[in-house]
Amino acid sequence: MVSKNKKPHFGHESMHTHSQSIEAAVIEQSKATAENILANKGHDVVAVRPTDSIHKVTEVMKEHGIGSVLVKDQNGHMAGILTERDIVRGFADEPDNTFDETAADLMTTDVVTATPETPVLELLHRMSEGRFRHIPVIDGEHIAGMISIGDVVKFRLQELEYEALKLKQMIVG
């Protein structure tokens, strides 16, 4: 029988408890960054021009199976972001003319961005607080990629599966 005041002795003074290992896993998980997601997902970004019609933009989104595109100017710099939600708002405001409008007419120009070093939990916070589902990752002047809320969820599920496997291995020995 083990006394309430004494911890059992397993012969290894440096042995960590399961709760310490879980805590270490949580701390390690909090170090994950936007770059970790992009390393799995890829750095490709689909973009359109400000003068492209909404009809063309929707065709591009459909072709790539995505919910947002970056809008780049003639120099390749980000001018804005255009999402499915922006297009739906356009149809609500001007149902008969939206397909003829341009990306510049409907895009969001005050874009919230991240850097490759932005922690995953910060990405989730920004997306939740801003109520948006896509965030461009900018590395200096270079567009490093685009992360969706789905990418973050997929990444976190993979992390959780890995953590569960490591815990099972630790318990089994």
Side-chain angles (χ1 to χ4, degrees):
M1 180 176 222
V2 177
S3 164
K4 289 184 180 180
N5 295 330
K6 293 186 178 182
K7 292 183 180 178
H9 181 21
F10 295 104
H12 295 85
E13 293 301 319
S14 65
M15 179 177 268
H16 295 281
T17 66
H18 293 300
S19 63
Q20 289 170 324
S21 297
I22 293 169
E23 184 178 308
V26 169
I27 290 169
E28 189 62 33
Q29 167 261 312
S30 68
K31 293 180 183 177
T33 64
E35 180 55 38
N36 297 121
I37 293 174
L38 292 175
N40 287 338
K41 173 192 175 168
H43 294 266
D44 294 339
V45 175
V46 177
V48 297
R49 297 280 188 155
T51 55
D52 287 345
S53 71
I54 295 303
H55 185 260
K56 180 177 180 180
V57 171
T58 58
E59 287 177 340
V60 168
M61 292 168 104
K62 179 182 173 187
E63 176 186 335
H64 291 278
I66 56 177
S68 71
V69 291
L70 283 185
V71 182
K72 291 184 179 180
D73 64 18
Q74 65 276 8
N75 298 321
H77 296 108
M78 183 175 60
I81 188 170
L82 187 58
T83 68
E84 294 166 323
R85 199 175 283 173
D86 295 324
I87 295 168
V88 168
R89 284 187 191 116
F91 276 110
D93 292 343
E94 303 239 5
D96 297 331
N97 300 326
T98 300
F99 272 131
D100 297 327
E101 291 188 83
T102 65
D105 294 330
L106 299 183
M107 71 183 182
T108 299
T109 55
D110 188 19
V111 182
V112 176
T113 63
T115 67
E117 297 80 25
T118 303
V120 170
L121 295 177
E122 178 64 22
L123 292 172
L124 281 172
H125 178 75
R126 288 181 192 177
M127 290 176 168
S128 295
E129 289 295 311
R131 299 182 54 87
F132 54 84
R133 299 175 298 195
H134 304 89
I135 190 166
V137 180
I138 308 297
D139 190 5
E141 294 289 317
H142 172 71
I143 299 168
M146 176 86 84
I147 294 177
S148 72
I149 193 74
D151 298 328
V152 177
V153 169
K154 180 180 177 185
F155 182 82
R156 278 298 294 137
L157 286 174
Q158 289 172 340
E159 281 187 325
L160 291 171
E161 288 172 2
Y162 177 75
E163 289 169 16
L165 176 65
K166 295 302 279 183
L167 288 173
K168 281 182 185 177
Q169 289 173 342
M170 190 172 37
I171 292 168
V172 173

